[in-house]
Amino acid sequence: MSGLSDSSNISGGKQPALRRDASRNARRILDAGREVLRENPQASADDIAKAAGLGIATLYRRFPTRDDLVRSVIWDIFATDVAPALTRAEGEADPRIGLRIAFEAAMRTSAYERIPFPVGITLEIAQSFLGPASRLIKRGQELGFLRPDLDPENDTLRILLMLLSVLPTFSHQSGGWNRYLELVMEALTLTPVKPLPPAEPIVDPFQHA
């Protein structure tokens, strides 16, 4: 009986260790992915596995395809670099300041990490940004700070994409995009001369062929 008990304890002790190893490996892969893709957005899964000091089989056990890996890296970037800024943005008393914080976080992070739009981006990731940003626009409209003809549900994503589209025209980590963020923010707050044309529903721009 004591032998069975000892065997059971040993077996039970291995499983948490294995889970910890898997968690550590996933963290190493994500960290390596951020670093490698920042330098070379076209880097292969094998490049990332080597940078993490792991075999390609270990990487594929956690991330079955390169696309899965890239999406996970971008989720990780969002969680660590953008989500905290969104929380801070929604806590601002003035929604205009909050909206600027939100857009600045998205722009600064994308510029630094050299995320090649739309690779790795999904509508789900975008919506994690759009929810807080849309609420800030609605609050700004209610307070009379933002133009009333904005459509928070449809315009927010398109405004973000317009801003992100300028990033490839700047050198890596340039802050030149701030000029265009300022232009957009002024357009959102100015009293309109005439109302905007109707906003159309969003067609998912992140579907990859």
Side-chain angles (χ1 to χ4, degrees), residues 25 32 34 47-49 53 58-59 69 89 93 108 112 124 134 140 145 149 157 164 173 184 191 198 203 208-209:
N25 286 342
R34 289 179 70 151
D47 293 332
I48 295 170
T58 300
L59 183 148
L69 172 57
R108 185 179 298 107
Y112 177 72
E124 184 181 9
S134 296
F145 292 163
D149 54 354
L157 175 60
L164 292 176
Q173 300 185 38
V184 168
T191 301
V203 175
H208 308 300

Side-chain angles (χ1 to χ4, degrees), residues 70-181:
V70 172
R71 279 192 293 270
S72 295
V73 168
I74 292 176
W75 262 122
D76 190 58
I77 291 169
F78 180 88
T80 58
D81 297 0
V82 180
L86 294 177
T87 299
R88 187 170 75 255
E90 288 205 272
E92 288 288 338
D94 187 332
R96 292 169 296 187
I97 296 175
L99 193 60
R100 181 184 295 276
I101 289 171
F103 282 132
E104 280 181 349
M107 296 289 285
R108 185 179 298 107
T109 301
S110 297
Y112 177 72
E113 298 291 349
R114 301 180 69 185
I115 297 172
F117 174 81
V119 176
I121 304 292
T122 66
L123 193 58
E124 184 181 9
I125 293 174
Q127 285 171 337
S128 296
F129 175 90
L130 298 178
S134 296
R135 289 192 291 270
L136 287 164
I137 288 178
K138 289 177 183 176
R139 184 150 60 90
Q141 290 174 317
E142 291 167 359
L143 293 172
F145 292 163
L146 297 177
R147 53 187 299 162
D149 54 354
L150 289 172
D151 183 331
E153 302 300 327
N154 293 301
D155 287 339
T156 309
L157 175 60
R158 291 181 171 121
I159 291 167
L160 175 63
L161 299 185
M162 286 166 55
L163 288 168
L164 292 176
S165 70
V166 307
L167 292 180
T169 69
F170 294 104
S171 60
H172 185 209
Q173 300 185 38
S174 166
W177 50 265
N178 279 288
R179 173 183 175 88
Y180 301 94
L181 175 57

